[in-house]
Amino acid sequence: MTDAAADTPTPPPTSPWERERPARARVAPVRAPLSRERIVEAAFIVLDRQGLDGLSMRQVAAELGVTVSALYAHVSSKDDLLELMYTRLFTGFAMPAPDPERWREQLRDFARSVRQRLLSHRDMARISMAHVPFTAELLPHVEALLAVFRTAGLPDRIAAEAGDLISTYIDGFVLEEGMWQDRAAQLGGGDSSMARPDWREMAGDMQDYFASLPAKDFPHLRALAGLMVTDSSDERFDIGLEIILRGLASYLPEPAADGGPDAPGAPDAPRPPDAT
Amino acid sequence: MTDAAADTPTPPPTSPWERERPARARVAPVRAPLSRERIVEAAFIVLDRQGLDGLSMRQVAAELGVTVSALYAHVSSKDDLLELMYTRLFTGFAMPAPDPERWREQLRDFARSVRQRLLSHRDMARISMAHVPFTAELLPHVEALLAVFRTAGLPDRIAAEAGDLISTYIDGFVLEEGMWQDRAAQLGGGDSSMARPDWREMAGDMQDYFASLPAKDFPHLRALAGLMVTDSSDERFDIGLEIILRGLASYLPEPAADGGPDAPGAPDAPRPPDAT
DNA sequence: CTCACCGGCAGAACGCTGTTCATTAAGATA
DNA sequence: TATCTTAATGAACAGCGTTCTGCCGGTGAG
């Protein structure tokens, strides 16, 4: 504070327009010491903005106002970060307590909730597809799912596959949803706010394309064009899910004459979504 | 040939040590003019050797003894090349003529054949997952699949989803197979010839891990550990497939008492793979 | 109070990627 | 023989994941 002040002249009193960063606030606002959680958080922001192909370590670092190498002090690799994002997507996910009388509804709710979580971040199904839920944080979820299957009365060999089957279905369905969405956005233009109308337009184009196929060679494709490309994917998701649930139900012993009106087990007893 | 020869002086007679390329035979042996087909072929070689992550345009070019930019005269982008590989994997795939009495067997054969094709090239399920079979070359296959569903008697809304459901299942299953295989190889060491013993060892480790979980918290996971990680994936594949087929069968009208011993339609009539 | 330490971040660098550009060599055509 | 077309080259650009070295500020010991 003596003559040393000549070497480091006291900066002029911070001018009003940059008053908001008084103490060493150039890049790192001194707060938030860059934890794993903050990195994951920033990664989700970049993911939603630029998609999985645009999710680079440099972009995540830029989102945090930090250099790339700083990330590697908390995250060992990009794969590590992706795995963190995958597990964080499903932590806190409420699993049902197994109820043998409601296992179909429980699985329906489960599947729909998983799909919603996957849809809550762009390209999340692609990330989910590349990972296996056998990490320590996600094992309880697998256990809870198995519990639903087994207490419902499914044979062990069926229960062992059912979880994979349903999870694969959800991931694959949402993945495909995202692909169509991307294709529509890319076809229409870069503006992401235009995704909606472009999607509807593209669905119409697809139906027109199917309808334009030679009737002699593609009778079934023409007949089902209106069903394969629909406005809302919710119905399609439920139908595929119902096929799986009915397949599982076929492995239950026949309800032994105690059958209430909602007795599970009979493969044709539970009402289909709307299979006229 | 007048004084213009001074501008382009005739090169000295090729010195003896570079005599081996008398007529433009340095890299391209003048034969095989680098068609799309040849590029795809080389891409498959690189894919099998280095996996999808090691499949770069430069590697493909090197495999052909050609520079990168030469590829772009025949292929518009890497995505284009991947799509070419995807469609070529399934061109020439024999689809069954729909037979209402054998639709389950036909679908089983179909699914197993598709799985074998996916397994015939490394990481092929990852490529398949990223594409939709709605290209001109693959549309007949979709049509044939729909024909099987509809002539079997499935409602249209079910038939429209069944193709996606089965395809997604196959892709997802093989994808997961490959993931475990990669993880085992990567854990054991880079030597690809060691893949087999490492896989078995890893399956044992997984089972041990499941068995070591606290019995109080993971009873079902412990009970099914031996079924979820098996030596051969063939059984598991068939079981998941059978669940789907039974689910589809549940949408058929009850067989009207004409039933032979192999009558399709009854969801519990066809024998499960081995669901004790 | 001083000094050494040490963790967390910056900056630069390496080798790789997909893609584009101008250039060149060779064959075909007139 | 002169021109045109084709196909491949080599260099370049921007970006990627990852690693290494060095700085800088806060902390505990003497």
Side-chain angles (χ1 to χ4, degrees):
Chain A
M1 264 185 213
T2 62
D3 51 354
D7 294 342
T8 62
T10 57
T14 54
S15 44
W17 56 84
E18 60 184 8
R19 147 179 55 89
E20 259 320 320
R21 40 179 170 126
R24 186 219 180 209
R26 179 156 138 267
V27 283
V30 125
R31 305 284 162 235
L34 191 56
S35 64
R36 277 168 86 90
E37 201 56 36
R38 265 177 36 91
I39 293 180
V40 174
E41 191 180 342
F44 271 114
I45 295 177
V46 176
L47 179 71
D48 287 333
R49 188 174 51 216
Q50 315 186 223
L52 181 57
D53 295 329
L55 175 64
S56 70
M57 299 297 280
R58 284 177 163 84
Q59 291 290 330
V60 175
E63 181 67 31
L64 290 164
V66 145
T67 51
V68 211
S69 52
L71 302 180
Y72 284 88
H74 306 265
V75 159
S76 68
S77 70
K78 187 183 181 182
D79 280 337
D80 188 24
L81 174 55
L82 289 176
E83 188 173 321
L84 250 52
M85 297 174 74
Y86 170 66
T87 71
R88 216 203 70 160
L89 215 237
F90 291 110
T91 49
F93 191 91
M95 296 296 290
D99 179 353
E101 310 218 350
R102 294 202 337 115
W103 67 276
R104 295 171 116 269
E105 292 84 345
Q106 289 183 323
L107 289 179
R108 255 190 295 267
D109 291 345
F110 166 81
R112 288 174 180 155
S113 299
V114 170
R115 171 162 173 256
Q116 288 309 317
R117 289 229 173 184
L118 289 177
L119 287 174
S120 72
H121 291 292
R122 188 169 160 191
D123 282 341
M124 205 59 213
R126 285 173 60 186
I127 299 180
S128 178
M129 257 294 177
H131 291 89
V132 174
F134 287 170
T135 82
E137 297 95 330
L138 263 36
L139 270 189
H141 298 189
V142 178
E143 171 71 15
L145 206 53
L146 292 180
V148 172
F149 296 138
R150 291 187 88 205
T151 65
L154 288 177
D156 282 356
R157 301 195 185 179
I158 306 302
E161 297 305 317
D164 245 30
L165 179 57
I166 289 189
S167 301
T168 296
Y169 171 71
I170 304 170
D171 277 342
F173 190 93
V174 179
L175 186 78
E176 206 165 322
E177 272 186 286
M179 284 178 49
W180 287 114
Q181 214 159 308
D182 286 354
R183 198 165 296 202
Q186 163 186 356
L187 223 88
D191 197 357
S192 64
S193 66
M194 295 278 292
R196 262 301 192 83
D198 283 332
W199 159 251
R200 290 192 176 275
E201 180 189 347
M202 189 183 185
D205 290 350
M206 285 295 294
Q207 294 198 9
D208 293 347
Y209 173 61
F210 285 151
S212 77
L213 293 173
K216 179 163 192 134
D217 296 329
F218 299 95
H220 302 100
L221 210 38
R222 284 167 55 96
L224 299 183
L227 295 173
M228 299 187 68
V229 185
T230 57
D231 292 347
S232 163
S233 303
D234 295 356
E235 275 185 49
R236 293 185 50 236
F237 181 77
D238 283 348
I239 292 177
L241 182 63
E242 195 64 29
I243 295 174
I244 295 177
L245 293 183
R246 283 184 170 219
L248 292 175
S250 75
Y251 286 97
L252 291 180
E254 293 289 329
D258 70 332
D262 217 349
D268 40 347
R271 66 187 72 85
D274 195 12
T276 52
Chain B
M1 215 185 252
T2 64
D3 52 354
D7 293 340
T8 62
T10 58
T14 54
S15 43
W17 56 84
E18 58 184 7
R19 145 179 56 89
E20 256 323 314
R21 42 181 171 122
R24 186 215 181 213
R26 179 156 138 264
V27 282
V30 126
R31 305 282 162 236
L34 191 55
S35 64
R36 275 169 87 90
E37 201 55 36
R38 262 177 39 89
I39 293 180
V40 173
E41 191 181 341
F44 272 115
I45 295 177
V46 175
L47 180 70
D48 287 334
R49 187 174 53 217
Q50 315 185 226
L52 181 58
D53 295 329
L55 175 64
S56 70
M57 299 298 278
R58 282 176 164 84
Q59 291 290 329
V60 174
E63 182 66 30
L64 290 164
V66 144
T67 50
V68 211
S69 49
L71 303 180
Y72 284 88
H74 305 264
V75 160
S76 69
S77 69
K78 187 184 181 181
D79 279 336
D80 187 24
L81 174 55
L82 290 176
E83 187 172 322
L84 250 51
M85 298 173 74
Y86 169 67
T87 71
R88 217 203 67 161
L89 215 236
F90 291 109
T91 50
F93 191 91
M95 296 295 291
D99 178 353
E101 310 219 351
R102 297 203 334 115
W103 68 275
R104 296 169 118 269
E105 291 84 345
Q106 289 183 323
L107 288 178
R108 255 190 295 268
D109 291 346
F110 166 80
R112 288 173 180 154
S113 300
V114 170
R115 172 162 172 257
Q116 289 309 318
R117 290 231 173 182
L118 289 177
L119 287 174
S120 72
H121 290 293
R122 189 169 160 191
D123 283 342
M124 204 59 215
R126 285 172 62 186
I127 299 180
S128 177
M129 257 294 178
H131 290 89
V132 174
F134 287 171
T135 84
E137 296 95 331
L138 263 36
L139 270 190
H141 298 189
V142 177
E143 171 72 15
L145 206 54
L146 291 181
V148 172
F149 296 139
R150 291 187 88 205
T151 65
L154 288 178
D156 281 356
R157 300 195 187 179
I158 306 302
E161 297 305 317
D164 245 31
L165 179 57
I166 290 190
S167 301
T168 297
Y169 172 69
I170 304 170
D171 277 342
F173 191 93
V174 179
L175 186 80
E176 206 166 321
E177 273 186 286
M179 284 178 49
W180 288 114
Q181 213 158 308
D182 286 353
R183 199 166 296 202
Q186 162 186 356
L187 223 88
D191 198 357
S192 65
S193 65
M194 294 279 292
R196 264 300 193 84
D198 281 333
W199 160 251
R200 292 190 174 275
E201 179 188 350
M202 190 184 185
D205 289 352
M206 285 295 295
Q207 294 199 9
D208 294 346
Y209 173 61
F210 285 152
S212 76
L213 293 173
K216 181 163 191 133
D217 297 328
F218 299 96
H220 301 101
L221 210 37
R222 285 167 54 97
L224 300 184
L227 295 174
M228 300 187 67
V229 184
T230 57
D231 292 347
S232 163
S233 302
D234 295 354
E235 274 185 50
R236 293 184 51 234
F237 180 77
D238 283 348
I239 292 177
L241 182 62
E242 194 64 29
I243 295 173
I244 296 178
L245 293 182
R246 285 185 171 218
L248 292 175
S250 76
Y251 286 96
L252 290 179
E254 293 289 329
D258 71 332
D262 217 348
D268 39 348
R271 66 187 74 86
D274 196 11
T276 51

